[in-house]
Amino acid sequence: MKTKLWNPCVYARNARYVSELGMPVLDLLDPQPGERVLDLGCGDGKLTMVLRDRGCQPVGIDSSGEFIAAARALGLDVRKQDARELHFENEFDAVFSNAVLHWIAEPDLVIGHVYRALRQGGRFVGEFGGFGNCRAIERALVDELELRGIDASMASPWYFPTTGEYQDKLVAAGFGVPYIELIPRPTPLPKGMPGFLETFADDFASLIAANQRGEFLAAVCDRLEPLLRRSNEWIADYVRLRFEACKS
Ligand code: BEZ
């Protein structure tokens, strides 16, 4: 199983906005004091901490040992675990996930594990990249790879489904789906496109020889500039898929 390597310092520098913009999905979860909540893909624990501050008993899991160390330093109950290998059964009132599910190419496996982890009546509330998310960025990465003679058809690690596709998967696992929506969300990038690519595009860049990666990433930025840069600000073409599913 492929697992992306994360650097918590790089993430905090370039992509803090990802957890900050996760507040609406946390509000959709509407966590109640005393609830046991699994934070699936807790990263460095910033939203797990909000769950704790709201009186929940959150448990975070993440496949990145570096992220788990950062979250543990905040005093959180977190475990290094891959979402494709969860073993919880009827334990949680809710499973919450922000900005993680697009990294996992086996959605049915994850949804099945989440269903098992929830108690009867529990809810699965999440948000991740939906159909069309960062399409211009993905296209530019693929085009620049192909310009260099690299077959980029399998390069993307990202899973950005339609609402129909994801709803079908949730229902097939046994969930009811009271809410699912695609939300276009043009997103200013605090560290520009270079910061975005440094944080999220290493699966593409790693196909290029190390001494040519700088030139490759600069070419991707040049290609995107007319599309995503306005008066000195980079705005990424995010589209979120937000949902609530219930185990009834
Ligand atoms: C994100 O988590 O913000 C993200 C990850 C991959 C592609 C686009 C966005």
Side-chain angles (χ1 to χ4, degrees), residues 50-242:
V50 177
L51 289 169
R52 189 181 63 183
D53 291 346
R54 292 202 188 174
C56 298
Q57 298 165 32
V59 174
I61 63 127
D62 206 285
S63 59
S64 158
E66 289 78 9
F67 269 155
I68 287 297
R72 197 165 281 148
L74 301 173
L76 295 163
D77 178 358
V78 290
R79 303 156 196 193
K80 180 176 176 334
Q81 208 173 334
D82 193 302
R84 295 165 292 190
E85 296 169 352
L86 290 186
H87 55 261
F88 300 108
E89 267 189 49
N90 298 315
E91 283 193 40
F92 292 99
D93 299 299
V95 176
F96 169 76
S97 183
N98 181 56
V100 172
L101 298 169
H102 47 242
W103 290 108
I104 306 175
E106 297 93 344
D108 302 291
L109 199 54
V110 176
I111 292 169
H113 287 319
V114 169
Y115 189 84
R116 231 181 347 273
L118 285 168
R119 64 161 180 75
Q120 212 65 29
R123 59 209 192 278
F124 178 25
V125 175
E127 182 173 307
F128 63 109
F131 188 70
N133 189 51
C134 297
R135 178 176 284 156
I137 301 174
E138 191 172 24
R139 182 78 259 153
L141 286 159
V142 166
D143 286 350
E144 285 298 329
L145 282 175
E146 292 192 336
L147 209 59
R148 289 159 178 77
I150 294 167
D151 174 10
S153 52
M154 302 301 287
S156 177
W158 301 329
Y159 169 65
F160 298 141
T162 62
T163 50
E165 178 183 339
Y166 204 67
Q167 175 159 352
D168 286 352
K169 291 184 182 302
L170 291 164
V171 169
F175 281 108
V177 185
Y179 168 74
I180 186 161
E181 188 180 10
L182 269 190
I183 305 171
R185 194 199 67 196
T187 301
L189 300 176
K191 299 294 174 184
M193 192 53 64
F196 178 97
L197 297 175
E198 181 187 17
T199 315
F200 296 126
D202 38 351
D203 288 274
F204 299 88
S206 63
L207 299 176
I208 298 279
N211 65 353
Q212 288 161 27
R213 269 179 216 157
E215 180 272 328
F216 166 73
L217 293 171
V220 171
C221 288
D222 286 349
R223 198 179 268 266
L224 288 169
E225 191 150 355
L227 301 173
L228 301 179
R229 194 167 183 180
R230 312 246 183 297
S231 27
N232 243 15
E233 186 174 42
W234 283 98
I235 301 182
D237 50 338
Y238 274 74
V239 178
R240 308 310 274 174
L241 191 159
R242 190 179 295 167

